[in-house]
Amino acid sequence: MQIAAEIDRAEIETGQAASLTLTATSTGNLQSLAPPVLTLPDGVRAFPPTRESDEKVSGGRLETAVRWRYVLLAELAGSFTLPAVELPFFDPESASY
């Protein structure tokens, strides 16, 4: 599984919002994959994400991409670093999470 993150703005002012998109791609079915829980610094609030998914068959294998879009709101002034996002999943090849 691959996970990518993209934010639409590097800087926002207090009271403004930015959009954070997290995308998980893998072979197989990801429809039951729960959205990542964000651990954000004080002063940044996230609203519940929207979810989109795409599926296609390529070379006889199902390829799935799931995207979650979060709206992040700056509630305080300052510089913030968003921590890495963890997304636990079961890897059938290694039979582990």
Side-chain angles (χ1 to χ4, degrees):
M1 178 181 297
Q2 295 180 356
I3 301 172
E6 182 179 332
I7 193 159
D8 68 342
R9 302 190 216 182
E11 296 182 12
I12 56 176
E13 295 183 21
T14 303
Q16 290 185 332
S19 177
L20 172 65
T21 303
L22 302 176
T23 304
T25 56
S26 183
T27 56
N29 186 349
L30 299 180
Q31 294 307 319
S32 63
L33 194 61
V37 175
L38 301 181
T39 304
L40 299 172
D42 290 340
V44 178
R45 181 168 47 143
F47 292 90
T50 60
R51 183 181 196 273
E52 299 175 5
S53 63
D54 297 313
E55 295 177 338
K56 67 178 181 177
V57 176
S58 178
R61 298 183 78 172
L62 178 65
E63 296 178 359
T64 306
V66 179
R67 281 176 298 288
W68 298 276
R69 287 193 176 87
Y70 297 82
V71 173
L72 304 181
L73 180 66
E75 296 181 313
L76 301 173
S79 295
F80 303 98
T81 300
L82 300 179
V85 174
E86 294 183 12
L87 186 61
F89 67 96
F90 182 76
D91 181 353
E93 290 182 17
S94 67
S96 64
Y97 282 91

